[in-house]
Amino acid sequence: MTKSRRKWHAETKACANIALAKYWGKADIPLNLPAVPSISMTLDGLVTETRIRVDETLDADRVELDGREATASESKRVIALLDDIRRRAKRREFAHVVSRNRFPTAAGLASSASGFAALASAADHAYELGASDRVLSAIARQASASAARSIYGGFVELPAGKPGQKSLAAKPLFDADHWDLRIVVAQTAKGPKKVGSTEGMERSRETSPFYDAWVAKAPAITKRIRQALRKRDLDTLGAAMEQSTMAFHACAMTAEPSIFYWQPATLAAVHAVRQLRDEKGLSVWCTMDAGPHVKTLCHADDARKVRAALKKTEGVLSTLVAKPGPGVQTR
Ligand code: ADP
């Protein structure tokens, strides 16, 4: 039977996510399994749009990213995911992938999370695999652990993996409407980060004297965050998120050579957030990923004040506000 060509394409939107309980370190590099559990909030404002068309006439995959031909290393990661989907779907045809991040790529705003979540879902549709969200999450995780979480909306947990573990998927904890929180992002630098996450994690594992302590402590911090989310207790959640953030950055900073993701404006924004807490009594908390930007967590009602304070912080280039967002959407 000839398959209907109409189905061999798909368009997907996926949102990036911000880790409240941070992911830093791998338990198994080839299988891309995290050494620590993480919890994230999917962000409605930071979107990747991916189109895929399976094309029998192509003799190789074609990948476009942000309006240009993808580099060899970018294409390699995309093709590895497509190969996985093709293997599972027992299909051979190549595909044309066109993806656009509606926010800066590779700059510490989690483009790999939304990028690979979108790709997994789009490829699943285009190759007519029909995988469950759980399977898609496990497929996306192999490309980027944080992408496993972006399959789902709201608040999502990715457990730690064990070396050699066959499959590991994220699981949704609470829907987007569970809690009306906001993340205010303060962009503090332009351009891609100098040390990619994978390299930074490996260097931390191999050389930081704090790595083992971080891995040992992370499950307890994650548990506090999960419980605080359930109870909608922002003071407890925020304090635990800051501890998770500082612990992983301490680990990176004490690697050899040191990995330092912060800029002067990063620290300025952290202090601005503390000032809002100490002097204005706002429940506002900050976190930074493997990059210089500061993401602050607060109640929806406080987002305007937080944004105004960050806007006038020296070195902050731009700000944006995101609320809990949906999981992948494909058509
Ligand atoms: P970020 O903080 O943006 O996630 P990373 O260095 O962790 O930065 O990941 C960026 C990499 O993820 C890119 O270099 C590219 O290989 C991949 N990536 C980003 N966006 C997409 C996308 N839309 N589709 C496919 N791959 C993507």
Side-chain angles (χ1 to χ4, degrees):
M1 192 181 87
T2 335
K3 286 207 166 106
S4 144
R5 232 190 129 105
R6 200 168 50 83
K7 281 191 177 170
W8 289 15
H9 60 83
E11 277 182 46
T12 300
K13 276 188 189 175
C15 299
N17 66 75
I18 171 86
L20 310 174
K22 310 311 274 187
Y23 158 51
W24 193 251
K26 293 183 198 279
D28 186 315
I29 298 169
L31 296 176
N32 202 35
L33 294 161
V36 296
S38 55
I39 292 178
S40 60
M41 174 171 139
T42 304
L43 303 176
D44 80 327
L46 305 185
V47 175
T48 294
E49 292 166 0
T50 298
R51 280 186 286 128
I52 178 169
R53 188 167 43 80
V54 174
D55 186 339
E56 299 148 292
T57 65
L58 288 177
D59 47 21
D61 291 312
R62 274 193 61 195
V63 185
E64 286 171 46
L65 184 55
D66 292 334
R68 54 161 175 84
E69 208 69 37
T71 64
S73 71
E74 289 166 344
S75 293
K76 200 172 150 201
R77 290 177 77 178
V78 169
I79 291 167
L81 194 154
L82 293 177
D83 282 343
D84 189 5
I85 296 268
R86 283 190 281 253
R87 212 168 23 244
R88 291 168 192 255
K90 301 187 171 55
R91 297 279 296 268
R92 288 173 164 276
E93 306 88 349
F94 293 108
H96 185 184
V97 175
V98 179
S99 187
R100 205 171 263 282
N101 299 319
R102 301 284 174 202
F103 60 96
T105 299
L109 291 174
S111 65
S112 50
S114 49
F116 290 112
L119 182 68
S121 179
D124 170 72
H125 265 66
Y127 284 103
E128 300 175 307
L129 176 60
S132 64
D133 282 352
R134 192 178 163 71
V135 170
L136 286 184
S137 173
I139 291 172
R141 192 215 75 246
Q142 286 173 281
S144 162
S146 57
R149 301 187 307 243
S150 272
I151 294 290
Y152 299 103
F155 302 88
V156 185
E157 176 160 2
L158 178 63
K162 294 188 183 64
Q165 189 172 338
K166 283 265 154 37
S167 178
L168 180 75
K171 47 186 183 195
L173 294 177
F174 306 102
D175 290 341
D177 59 9
H178 171 70
W179 198 3
D180 202 16
L181 292 174
R182 292 291 180 275
I183 290 277
V184 185
V185 180
Q187 214 187 333
T188 56
K190 284 218 164 83
K193 56 196 174 200
K194 291 202 176 64
V195 182
S197 309
T198 303
E199 188 192 337
M201 288 181 200
E202 267 318 278
R203 200 189 298 169
S204 301
R205 187 176 67 82
E206 285 166 359
T207 63
S208 169
F210 297 158
Y211 183 79
D212 290 344
W214 153 247
V215 172
K217 182 73 183 172
I221 303 177
T222 304
K223 187 175 171 191
R224 269 176 74 204
I225 289 176
R226 195 187 308 115
Q227 288 172 342
L229 266 176
R230 181 169 296 121
K231 293 188 200 152
R232 301 189 185 88
D233 172 355
L234 185 53
D235 287 350
T236 303
L237 169 56
M241 179 183 78
E242 288 199 352
Q243 190 187 22
S244 177
T245 303
M246 301 313 164
F248 112 67
H249 276 282
C251 209
M253 285 175 199
T254 49
E256 215 185 309
S258 171
I259 306 157
F260 211 87
Y261 286 114
W262 300 356
Q263 292 292 329
T266 311
L267 210 48
V270 169
H271 282 292
V273 166
R274 290 190 169 207
Q275 221 171 348
L276 285 172
R277 215 156 60 212
D278 297 344
E279 291 173 17
K280 307 263 188 238
L282 298 191
S283 188
V284 50
W285 307 87
C286 60
T287 183
M288 288 78 74
D289 292 290
H293 313 302
V294 177
K295 293 111 180 192
T296 60
L297 183 67
C298 62
H299 289 297
D301 289 348
D302 294 333
R304 211 168 43 86
K305 277 186 207 150
V306 172
R307 187 177 198 179
L310 289 171
K311 260 188 180 165
K312 60 177 198 234
T313 300
E314 194 170 344
V316 170
L317 304 175
S318 64
T319 56
L320 66 93
V321 181
K323 60 182 180 183
V328 282
Q329 295 163 297
T330 299
R331 61 188 170 97

